[in-house]
Amino acid sequence: MVGQKGCRYGVVIAVALLTLITGCSDGTGNNTSAADAAAGEEKAVPVDVVSLRSEQVTLTRELPARVMPFRISQVRPQVDGLVVKRLLEEGLEVEEGQPLYQIDPLRYQAAVENARAEVARAKANLEAVKITEKRYKGLLGTNAVSEQQYDDVQALLKQREAELEVAKAALQVAEVDLHYTTIRAPISGRIEQFMVTEGALLEALQDQSLATIRQLDPIYVDMYQPAAELVKLKRRIIQGEISVTTPQTIRLRFDDGSDYPHGGDVAYTEMNVSQSTGSVLIRALVPNPEKLLMPGLSLTAVVEEGVMNNAVLVPQRAVNYNRSGEAEVMLVNTDNRVEARKLELGRAIGTDWLVVSGAEPGDRVVVAGLQKIKPGALVEPTQVDQSGQGRR
């Protein structure tokens, strides 16, 4: 019985071996394995690619900014006196020349009347000398008056003319002082808190101001750019890489991310580097009709630096970084094989990076399917647009 069972097992094993050998035959007497057959057919991996192109790009820079008043004026008296009336409420918009305070004018009115009287006296004295000079001139040829007498009357005439001019100047000073008894707004703008009230005794050009006026429309926005960045930008402009239009425009953004509704123009850039911050002041002039911008407010300014005519952009989602921190992209060559390419990148522009070097227009960059490929892999590329939202 044991011998029969062993014989049966031997037959089964022999049949199995024969079946395996037959199944691996290629029909010509040559036998190949399944793994060898799979290795002979490489399957292309589907990926999405973007063809890089040269385009015109407006370069901008975000800078910290602070709002400054267009003009600021501290109101001070120009004559001495007692305040008898405040002519305006604080916190209102005022126009240049609008009355703010009234100083007691009685003493200054009297000074004006006195100066007018002095002018009248000087005119009368001058007229009397003119009559004498005319009479002496007619008698000079008859020897009724001497040459010395005539010379003396001419000198007196000039003295009286000078006295009249002095009297007129004194009258003008008195009238100016009377005018200054009404304290007026030196500029247009918003007037802040009044520092004195009725009954206050004022001194001409005193240290304490009566009020402060700030002109807020238009308004200045001061930005601070690192000097090294500004020098680099100027070099690129000189080399012709970037063209600049004047005036440079800016946009403003509040801290909550909302945009200010009005744009502005750069007024000037200081040619002085701050020793403490290493930055340069850039000042822009911005409309402020709604008075949304207040002096001292901090916000972000987006400054238009210039236009680059032949810029190459690469989607940010296509860029990876190697262990050395270098930026890399996967390119598809003419054989639909993957190549790794190192890039030198500039600034971010929207959802793209500005390419400084490493890529050229026409390069096909993989933007989707990166996790399934490596350098040398065969791919089946599908062209998409730069945004990746549609196919073409």
Side-chain angles (χ1 to χ4, degrees), residues 17-272:
L17 289 172
L18 180 61
T19 303
L20 179 61
I21 292 171
T22 304
C24 293
S25 176
D26 60 0
T28 63
N30 297 325
N31 298 326
T32 58
S33 66
D36 292 339
E41 298 179 3
E42 183 180 3
K43 187 176 181 180
V45 180
V47 293
D48 287 350
V49 297
V50 165
S51 290
L52 303 185
R53 63 181 183 275
S54 176
E55 56 186 292
Q56 186 181 82
V57 174
T58 299
L59 301 181
T60 60
R61 176 75 67 183
E62 291 189 1
L63 299 174
R66 188 174 297 276
V67 179
M68 302 295 291
F70 179 66
R71 287 197 294 177
I72 182 170
S73 176
Q74 293 181 331
V75 181
R76 286 185 171 85
Q78 294 178 275
V79 293
D80 302 338
L82 192 71
V83 176
V84 294
K85 191 174 183 180
R86 195 177 73 182
L87 305 174
L88 188 70
E89 294 298 322
E90 56 194 9
L92 300 178
E93 292 289 330
V94 299
E95 296 295 330
E96 181 178 351
Q98 186 171 349
L100 305 177
Y101 285 98
Q102 180 62 58
I103 295 176
D104 187 359
L106 295 179
R107 178 163 60 94
Y108 296 97
Q109 289 173 345
V112 169
E113 295 301 324
N114 181 68
R116 286 174 179 165
E118 289 296 329
V119 169
R121 177 188 296 176
K123 286 182 178 180
N125 292 337
L126 175 62
E127 191 64 28
V129 175
K130 281 183 177 180
I131 293 173
T132 302
E133 188 272 341
K134 185 177 181 181
R135 182 183 304 116
Y136 279 17
K137 186 176 182 180
L139 297 175
L140 189 62
T142 63
N143 295 322
V145 295
S146 65
E147 291 284 346
Q148 182 63 46
Q149 289 176 313
Y150 183 71
D151 291 342
D152 290 343
V153 79
Q154 280 191 317
L156 183 60
L157 177 62
K158 291 181 180 179
Q159 181 180 345
R160 293 291 184 261
E161 289 175 344
E163 289 174 354
L164 177 59
E165 294 302 319
V166 170
K168 288 180 178 180
L171 174 60
Q172 187 175 6
V173 170
E175 290 174 339
V176 169
D177 288 344
L178 178 61
H179 174 77
Y180 283 152
T181 58
T182 301
I183 301 176
R184 303 174 186 274
I187 63 173
S188 300
R190 182 180 292 273
I191 192 165
E192 298 178 356
Q193 179 182 4
F194 285 105
M195 305 306 297
V196 299
T197 58
E198 291 84 354
L201 181 61
L202 305 181
E203 295 181 1
L205 305 177
Q206 64 186 31
D207 292 335
Q208 181 188 8
S209 64
L210 308 183
T212 301
I213 301 175
R214 303 179 193 273
Q215 185 171 345
L216 305 179
D217 183 26
I219 201 164
Y220 283 131
V221 174
D222 288 352
M223 301 156 282
Y224 306 91
Q225 183 170 16
E229 290 184 1
L230 189 59
V231 170
K232 187 182 297 184
L233 174 63
K234 288 185 176 181
R235 284 176 177 170
R236 298 180 71 183
I237 293 173
I238 293 172
Q239 294 168 358
E241 297 179 24
I242 299 174
S243 58
V244 178
T245 57
T246 54
Q248 291 177 273
T249 60
I250 72 164
R251 294 180 286 108
L252 299 175
R253 186 169 62 243
F254 293 106
D255 289 342
D256 62 2
S258 61
D259 293 328
Y260 180 67
H262 306 287
D265 297 329
V266 172
Y268 67 89
T269 300
E270 280 193 352
M271 299 303 293
N272 180 58

Side-chain angles (χ1 to χ4, degrees), residues 306-324:
V307 176
M308 180 177 288
N309 292 320
N310 298 306
V312 177
L313 303 179
V314 61
Q316 293 182 6
R317 66 186 186 279
V319 179
N320 291 311
Y321 295 87
N322 59 25
R323 294 181 179 179
S324 301

